[in-house]
Amino acid sequence: MSSTTLPADFLWGFATASYQIEGAAHEGGRGDSIWDTFCNIPGKIADGSNGDVACDSYHRWKEDIELLKSLGAKAYRFSISWSRVIPLGGRYDPLNQEGLRFYQDLVDELVKADITPMVTLFHWDLPQALYDRYGGFLDREEYVKDYVHFAEVMFEALGPKVRHWITYNEPWCSSILGYSIGQFAPGHTSDCTKSNVGNSSTEPWIVGHNILVAHGAAVKLYREKFKANQQGQIGITLNGDWTEPWDANDPADVAAAQRKLEFSIGWFADPIYKGDYPSSMRDQLGERLPRFTEEERELVQGSNDFYGMNHYTADYIKHLSDTARPDDFSGNGEILKDNKEGVSIGPETQSPWLRPHAIGFRKLLGWISNRYGRPTIYVTENGTSVKGESQLPVEQAIHDEFRCQYFRDYIEALVQARNEDGVDVQGYMAWSLLDNFEWAEGYETRFGVVYVDFARNQERRVKDSAKVVADTFTRLCRG
Ligand code: GBH
């Protein structure tokens, strides 16, 4: 194989998430999730919007599959709305057959179209009833049992046709954004200007721990009860930005950049691949970081058949000299977009946290591969917003050269990581198939390779970037 090709069976395609695209929030028997509730709190979503209609994919899913087909996609990653399937969420609560049918039909049609379904069980939309009943993720006993039951329902319903399962999307976000900063549902934080519930110094670490245990328990169930027949793979998807030291000549910044990777990625991946949290986290957090019981460790260690990697950007990290604050979650470093020389990590986008830096993708693929013993990696999200895109008339927005260049650069970095650095990356899903509900930013920020006209009936228009992704992989995958 030459250094500029990918194997013919390389799994490439596009990704979405239930609450961001489905709409039909109060239809088809769906129960509320914590995001329905969160969107109703004034001031939480930039444009005051919500996912009630979103891309209306609950009704237009066939059109979405046509789009995937027209692009030649090999795979489609989507997530399940737990409260659409079990409106009240719990293991003794009734199933909603109409919700299950929706996902079964979707999977059937994808398979007919020769598109591999990649199913994320959980992309942040926890059933509200479970939060009301026992505080959701905070209750290790109840939460883990309810999650495993939900997973079992889905393995049974979709398993015969699904070979790729993702237990969780970005537990870092559920923990830190949901329970430390309070920027995401359910909005817990110690910052009393934002919320009167939460404890940023303890809750995020408990939430992260319980999600890891739930992931491990669902994987155990899959392996024991379904894997032999269904022949699928299961893993977790973690987010992580690459880091560079703010001052490359300062060993304290070099160490802080490494610590930031451990606090964001190692937090979840170390227990899965090595059996415990990184020592840098234990050192800083002490007993605020839960400890694994022997039983939990057994569930979690070795629980990934593949590593799901979401990646968008990079940061410069500057060490902080004082003792870490109780609400610190970055390993006691400052996260900056300019380095000591004032050089930006990359050009600005619509998202304050995101600046393209493709070489960081290659470096992070290498870091993960080395630290965790060369796991199979599926890139489950990668993409960018474009500064000012929402202000553009559709005829201009669809010519998204900035996003096209992002994809060219990042896909090239992936090919180099695979073919020159020996990283075992076997798939790539661009984020996102559609412009969609971008969480706290509402509809002000677009990530789609397909434009969605939210003012005109959710009409879809393919952007140039969709063709760049499709053409690039079609060319690379000739074998
Ligand atoms: C992905 O997360 C999500 O999986 C997807 O649903 C979402 O649409 C997509 O990003 C685009 O945003 O506000 O400074 O605290 C990407 C990883 C990690 C990016 C947390 C935003 C927040 C930084 N995210 N980060 S900050």
Side-chain angles (χ1 to χ4, degrees):
M1 190 170 69
S2 107
S3 65
T4 52
T5 61
L6 291 170
D9 62 354
F10 188 87
L11 211 56
W12 67 269
F14 303 90
T16 61
S18 48
Y19 192 68
Q20 295 185 271
I21 67 160
E22 283 180 9
H26 312 289
E27 249 178 81
R30 179 182 177 277
D32 277 355
S33 82
I34 55 173
W35 272 93
D36 296 280
T37 310
F38 193 65
C39 291
N40 281 333
I41 306 173
K44 297 299 182 193
I45 311 299
D47 54 6
S49 67
N50 56 45
D52 280 1
V53 180
C55 306
D56 196 27
S57 286
Y58 185 73
H59 298 112
R60 292 165 182 258
W61 58 276
K62 287 194 177 156
E63 196 179 330
D64 295 343
I65 294 182
E66 287 307 317
L67 281 169
L68 291 162
K69 275 202 228 173
S70 73
L71 295 168
K74 294 270 198 314
Y76 177 50
R77 173 179 179 238
F78 63 93
S79 81
I80 309 291
S81 162
W82 182 344
S83 60
R84 193 179 286 295
V85 173
I86 311 174
L88 296 174
R91 59 199 183 279
Y92 305 118
D93 296 321
L95 296 184
N96 175 32
Q97 290 302 335
E98 195 175 338
L100 267 181
R101 188 77 256 153
F102 171 69
Y103 296 111
Q104 283 168 326
D105 290 346
L106 178 64
V107 166
D108 286 350
E109 285 300 314
L110 286 168
V111 171
K112 261 190 231 158
D114 215 10
I115 298 168
T116 300
M118 191 177 260
V119 180
T120 310
L121 290 170
F122 185 85
H123 197 126
W124 307 348
D125 41 0
L126 181 81
Q128 177 64 32
L130 299 186
Y131 179 84
D132 295 339
R133 214 173 269 169
Y134 53 72
F137 308 115
L138 286 171
D139 188 321
R140 193 176 315 179
E141 290 295 310
E142 291 298 313
Y143 173 71
V144 171
K145 285 181 186 154
D146 283 342
Y147 176 77
V148 171
H149 167 75
F150 162 59
E152 181 164 19
V153 168
M154 298 318 301
F155 296 148
E156 247 154 35
L158 306 182
K161 293 188 177 176
V162 170
R163 300 280 170 279
H164 300 81
W165 293 100
I166 294 161
T167 54
Y168 281 92
N169 181 70
E170 304 188 346
W172 184 94
C173 291
S174 296
S175 309
I176 298 299
L177 304 181
Y179 286 81
S180 178
I181 310 184
Q183 186 187 323
F184 277 13
H188 283 214
T189 178
S190 291
D191 178 349
C192 50
T193 65
K194 287 195 197 156
S195 162
N196 52 17
V197 272
N199 181 338
S200 303
S201 72
T202 55
E203 286 186 355
W205 314 112
I206 296 168
V207 168
H209 190 84
N210 294 350
I211 289 178
L212 268 172
V213 174
H215 152 83
V219 170
K220 179 180 157 76
L221 174 80
Y222 184 72
R223 287 179 178 166
E224 287 176 355
K225 194 166 165 191
F226 298 96
K227 192 170 172 136
N229 289 329
Q230 300 184 352
Q231 297 290 312
Q233 312 166 33
I234 186 163
I236 197 167
T237 278
L238 305 177
N239 58 300
D241 307 337
W242 177 244
T243 59
E244 292 285 349
W246 180 74
D247 177 356
N249 296 317
D250 184 344
D253 285 355
V254 174
Q258 174 70 17
R259 261 196 327 273
K260 167 71 166 46
L261 292 172
E262 291 171 359
F263 268 70
S264 41
I265 297 170
W267 178 10
F268 300 98
D270 274 28
I272 291 173
Y273 289 97
K274 295 160 171 281
D276 205 355
Y277 293 118
S279 55
S280 57
M281 292 185 75
R282 180 65 63 198
D283 291 348
Q284 182 179 313
L285 302 170
E287 293 309 308
R288 288 189 280 129
L289 185 66
R291 290 187 185 273
F292 289 96
T293 64
E294 263 323 300
E295 194 194 343
E296 289 173 350
R297 194 188 314 274
E298 253 171 57
L299 284 175
V300 172
Q301 191 168 12
S303 58
N304 256 3
D305 294 334
F306 61 84
Y307 182 108
M309 176 183 184
N310 284 0
H311 181 74
Y312 292 85
T313 190
D315 296 305
Y316 290 112
I317 309 298
K318 188 178 185 202
H319 77 279
L320 294 164
S321 337
D322 296 337
T323 318
R325 292 163 44 114
D327 62 351
D328 177 82
F329 53 79
S330 62
N332 209 23
E334 212 180 327
I335 301 168
L336 298 163
K337 287 296 180 192
D338 295 337
N339 70 6
K340 192 182 179 194
E341 283 76 44
V343 178
S344 170
I345 197 92
E348 285 183 27
T349 66
Q350 184 64 29
S351 315
W353 54 273
L354 201 174
R355 295 194 190 179
H357 185 77
I359 183 72
F361 186 30
R362 179 176 179 178
K363 290 180 182 174
L364 187 58
L365 280 159
W367 187 90
I368 291 166
S369 187
N370 288 333
R371 188 174 177 98
Y372 301 120
R374 203 168 171 272
T376 293
I377 297 175
Y378 291 111
V379 176
T380 43
E381 286 179 24
N382 175 243
T384 191
S385 58
V386 179
K387 205 171 177 56
E389 189 178 18
S390 274
Q391 267 65 61
L392 297 176
V394 50
E395 293 304 330
Q396 278 175 45
I398 58 173
H399 300 303
D400 55 344
E401 178 50 31
F402 183 88
R403 185 177 285 109
C404 293
Q405 195 54 43
Y406 179 97
F407 283 126
R408 287 184 203 107
D409 293 344
Y410 273 74
I411 295 167
E412 186 185 349
L414 173 143
V415 171
Q416 289 168 338
R418 181 185 161 99
N419 294 351
E420 293 172 41
D421 309 338
V423 176
D424 182 28
V425 51
Q426 297 191 10
Y428 175 96
M429 306 296 127
W431 184 268
S432 176
L433 177 66
L434 303 168
D435 289 335
N436 59 45
F437 177 71
E438 178 53 17
W439 308 111
E441 291 174 45
Y443 298 96
E444 285 177 0
T445 303
R446 294 170 178 269
F447 271 87
V449 298
V450 173
Y451 186 91
V452 177
D453 198 333
F454 297 104
R456 288 192 46 197
N457 217 17
Q458 277 60 31
E459 205 170 281
R460 280 103 159 112
R461 290 281 303 276
V462 173
K463 300 182 196 177
D464 292 348
S465 58
K467 295 172 213 153
V468 165
V469 172
D471 292 350
T472 304
F473 280 108
T474 305
R475 179 169 48 76
L476 287 167
C477 296
R478 276 182 311 217

